[in-house]
Amino acid sequence: MALMHEPTAPYHSVQDALRVLETVAGHTGVTDTELARRTGLGVERLTILLRTLRREGYVEQLTDGAYVTGEALGRLGSAAGRDQAVREQIQRTLDRLRDSLGAAVYVSRYVDGEVTITQYAAGPTTPAVNEWVDFRFSAHATALGKSLLGQLDHNGRRDHLSRHKMARLTSRTITSDKLLLSRLETQPPTVPHLDLQEYAVGTVCAAVPITAGSSVGCLALSLPIEHAHRLRQAADTLNREAGPVLLSLAI
């Protein structure tokens, strides 16, 4: 299975964040001025990255203003229990996104040719989607499924659709593989994939890619139909906030 390699905004943010972390880790304390000089990042860009890295616990700022590595980086950088540390870090990020977006949030991966929900954050006021049809068999109808398929090459998409019949789940579901493939091929990588009641009546969703290396993944959200007017703004925010999840996978 080959992948479509078109770096998105979160990917570039993570590359910059990793440069900052590498510089911080190489010193016992480094100022933002020194960070800007060593990384070549502009002051505004660096300020935004440092704010995010502090919020996620990757760096800490000392009383004299210098930056040092934070506890989160130590946990993820340790071989012992790293997988659990990554899950916990991602879960904290998902919980924060759920609360700030007012929507259920999901991380999905494409593993061994199948769609898998690896983690999610939901709550009483932000209910998760009712999985009335297994997500493995409904990638053509879900935002997260379309986002994952969109990151495969043409043959990878054809292979998936040959194994999973495109069933009509609602009146809005696309059941033509030709139409779906055409839309996937023309969708810009920076534009979130949407599900406007294609999977389930009463629910709308959006998804953005978070591909790390050869692993295909996406970050998604769902809203009840009465909040559909918030979908596009929430999707844009999700796209901007995908960096911390991708960073946890990349460290």
Side-chain angles (χ1 to χ4, degrees), residues 84-163:
Q84 182 61 28
V86 170
R87 287 189 61 84
E88 291 174 354
Q89 184 70 21
I90 289 176
Q91 193 61 51
R92 281 191 287 271
T93 301
L94 293 181
D95 290 346
R96 177 180 58 78
L97 284 173
R98 174 200 60 203
D99 295 341
S100 64
L101 293 171
V105 186
Y106 317 76
V107 171
S108 181
R109 307 285 289 278
Y110 196 72
V111 181
D112 297 330
E114 302 295 351
V115 172
T116 304
I117 304 293
T118 55
Q119 289 179 250
Y120 72 96
T125 60
T126 54
V129 174
N130 175 32
E131 190 178 356
W132 75 283
V133 175
D134 194 316
F135 288 135
R136 292 176 299 170
F137 309 136
S138 54
H140 64 291
T142 64
L144 59 88
K146 288 184 283 187
S147 179
L148 296 174
L149 292 178
Q151 296 173 66
L152 307 181
D153 64 7
H154 182 76
N155 290 335
R157 296 166 186 162
R158 295 289 309 186
D159 172 72
H160 183 91
L161 296 179
S162 71
R163 292 182 287 109

Side-chain angles (χ1 to χ4, degrees), residues 221-243:
L221 64 84
S222 66
L223 289 166
I225 190 62
E226 55 265 30
H227 292 282
H229 61 282
R230 296 199 291 114
L231 181 64
R232 292 188 183 277
Q233 182 178 355
D236 289 341
T237 302
L238 189 74
N239 204 17
R240 291 194 301 271
E241 295 291 329

